[in-house]
Amino acid sequence: MCYVLYYCRTLFNFIKWLIITPFCCFARQFTRSRLVCLIKILSVYMVTLIVLFIICQKLPYSYFYRLYDSSGINFARIRILNDQRRFKARKVLSELNPNETRRMYLENAKSDHLKYAIGVVTVARKNFISEVGELKYLTQVMTQLHDVIAKCGATNDVFPFICNVDLKPEDFDESLQLSQYFPNITKLYSPTYQQGIQRTGKTEMEKQDYVFCLESALQYNPDYVILIEDDAYPKDNFLEVLEHLIETKLETNIRRGERTLNTVRWGWVKLMIPYSLTKYHRNWFFFCQWVALALLLSGIVWLAYCFYIECCSSTQESPANIIKTYARSFCVLLFTFIYFLLIIWIIGRAYYVQVRSFSPYLHALEPGTSCCTPALLFPSNEVPNIVKYLGSIKCSRHFPLDFALDNYRIDNKIKQYLVSPNIFSHIGFYSSLRQSYNTNEAEFV
């Protein structure tokens, strides 16, 4: 008991010395000069907020985006971006030989050393919107996949295929046209199944379609299965990033300077998540990143201030002056920490993580979240267990596919990861599931 009291008293004295003493000293000497200093600090805060308000109105993921101008969805910008991707897709298709391209990928499917089977889950959707124009999402995604595979020199290691799960696959014109270039696997529905669609529900149908595409990819015996939705657009370096992460984080890792096999069981890696769902308050890991970055920046300012004080101070100071200096430096650290917390929060996490996109080797694996499933990488040895689990449960509006996968992860005590920053982007402004506009415009501009 005496030891407990001793440690409690020691802890209290330490806190008193670290926090209470500087504030008491600062409060006792709160003269006019201190008031002027406080006014200057508040002025810096106000000027910063005004500047951020002006700048961040054009940053879609910031907290000030469209706060002043709420004129509605920027259809013009969305249309320009969609047209640019569509014209690029048309150019890629015009340079391809349909028979040779399709034959090349079918030969890859017979390989004993296939590394990736990439399935693009697709259904027919409204293909023309007056505000945006022609969509052609599936065409954009498939041509971009081929372009990235060809540029990376991985044409022998990858098998991309269209997983057509539309209720009327024979009427899905875009998929039929692309089947001249790429392998096309079609899900066939019995008449009795089509009659019971309303009882099944869209969410359960989505799960069943996902299971079908997983099983279809697994039959080619790849090392990894990648399932992406037909509006998840791959970035130019996505294969290079995957190769780096698989080699250095998933298959092996470095311990004590030596590369060793990774024995941690993991279920999947999420290759993208909407940035609107990665704000700092949505996940403990994102929150820690926010605080750590603010501490880093404020620490740099504090060290610069301490260096300046050290250079300007005399060789010998009285104890009272030392306490005053300590109080001032503590206040500098506190105010700059709050200052950078505010700036980082307003600008948004999406722009902080984009710093890593300058090189594939800067991308990192972070703890995954329960949302979402636009692009996932699965190890092939885990796919049969996932398929079996998904086949044993029923999804609903309140228990969608991503929640089901998260339940599987928790039940089996396995890891999930998230690639940061995203190596896929969401281009599906028009949702095939809801047959309506996606109201979160920030994802598309």
Side-chain angles (χ1 to χ4, degrees), residues 10 224 256 331 374:
T10 304
Y224 299 96
R256 298 178 182 178
C331 290

Side-chain angles (χ1 to χ4, degrees), residues 46-293:
M46 291 303 298
V47 171
T48 303
L49 285 174
I50 293 171
V51 172
L52 286 176
F53 180 76
I54 295 172
I55 295 175
C56 292
Q57 288 184 58
K58 296 184 179 180
L59 300 179
Y61 296 107
S62 71
Y63 278 84
F64 283 158
Y65 181 63
R66 288 202 177 281
L67 190 63
Y68 177 74
D69 177 19
S70 57
S71 55
I73 297 175
N74 188 351
F75 284 110
R77 176 64 175 160
I78 294 173
R79 181 168 192 149
I80 290 171
L81 294 174
N82 188 71
D83 286 344
Q84 289 174 352
R85 292 190 300 266
R86 195 162 48 83
F87 293 150
K88 179 184 177 181
R90 187 183 300 171
K91 181 181 178 182
V92 171
L93 284 180
S94 66
E95 296 173 352
L96 291 180
N97 183 309
N99 295 330
E100 289 183 4
T101 305
R102 181 179 170 83
R103 185 170 61 250
M104 175 186 69
Y105 286 128
L106 288 175
E107 288 177 357
N108 289 355
K110 301 174 184 177
S111 171
D112 295 331
H113 305 288
L114 183 65
K115 187 160 189 178
Y116 303 108
I118 306 178
V120 182
V121 186
T122 184
V123 295
R125 70 174 84 204
K126 186 178 180 181
N127 217 8
F128 184 86
I129 302 175
S130 58
E131 295 88 350
V132 180
E134 196 174 19
L135 299 180
K136 296 286 186 181
Y137 292 149
L138 179 61
T139 303
Q140 295 177 36
V141 170
M142 292 305 300
T143 52
Q144 176 68 359
L145 269 177
H146 172 79
D147 197 39
V148 173
I149 292 169
K151 287 179 179 177
C152 289
T155 50
N156 296 327
D157 301 325
V158 185
F159 175 65
F161 66 95
I162 300 169
C163 190
N164 184 353
V165 294
D166 194 73
L167 288 172
K168 296 181 179 179
E170 67 280 359
D171 296 335
F172 190 178
D173 294 335
E174 187 179 7
S175 176
L176 294 175
Q177 292 169 5
L178 289 171
S179 64
Q180 302 173 40
Y181 300 86
F182 306 102
N184 191 333
I185 297 176
T186 302
K187 183 180 181 182
L188 301 177
Y189 297 90
S190 63
T192 55
Y193 181 87
Q194 294 186 3
Q195 292 172 4
I197 286 174
Q198 288 186 343
R199 294 193 302 271
T200 304
K202 289 184 177 180
T203 313
E204 173 63 16
M205 281 179 57
E206 181 188 24
K207 184 214 72 176
Q208 293 177 9
D209 295 341
Y210 206 83
V211 168
F212 170 78
C213 295
L214 274 176
E215 292 178 322
S216 299
L218 195 61
Q219 68 182 352
Y220 299 104
N221 298 316
D223 295 333
Y224 299 96
V225 172
I226 301 176
L227 275 197
I228 63 177
E229 296 174 1
D230 59 2
D231 56 1
Y233 191 78
K235 296 192 175 182
D236 294 336
N237 64 347
F238 94 93
L239 266 182
E240 193 176 357
V241 172
L242 274 187
E243 288 289 326
H244 169 68
L245 293 177
I246 287 173
E247 182 180 351
T248 60
K249 305 291 184 182
L250 296 173
E251 291 183 348
T252 62
N253 51 31
I254 298 176
R255 291 181 180 176
R256 298 178 182 178
E258 295 182 0
R259 190 179 296 278
T260 59
L261 288 176
N262 188 2
T263 57
V264 176
R265 183 184 172 191
W266 56 278
W268 52 81
V269 177
K270 296 189 174 183
L271 308 181
M272 77 150 287
I273 184 174
Y275 281 126
S276 58
L277 300 178
T278 62
K279 295 178 180 178
Y280 293 111
H281 65 282
R282 287 184 171 270
N283 183 281
W284 67 269
F285 188 80
F286 303 153
F287 179 83
C288 291
Q289 287 180 328
W290 174 47
V291 174
L293 183 58

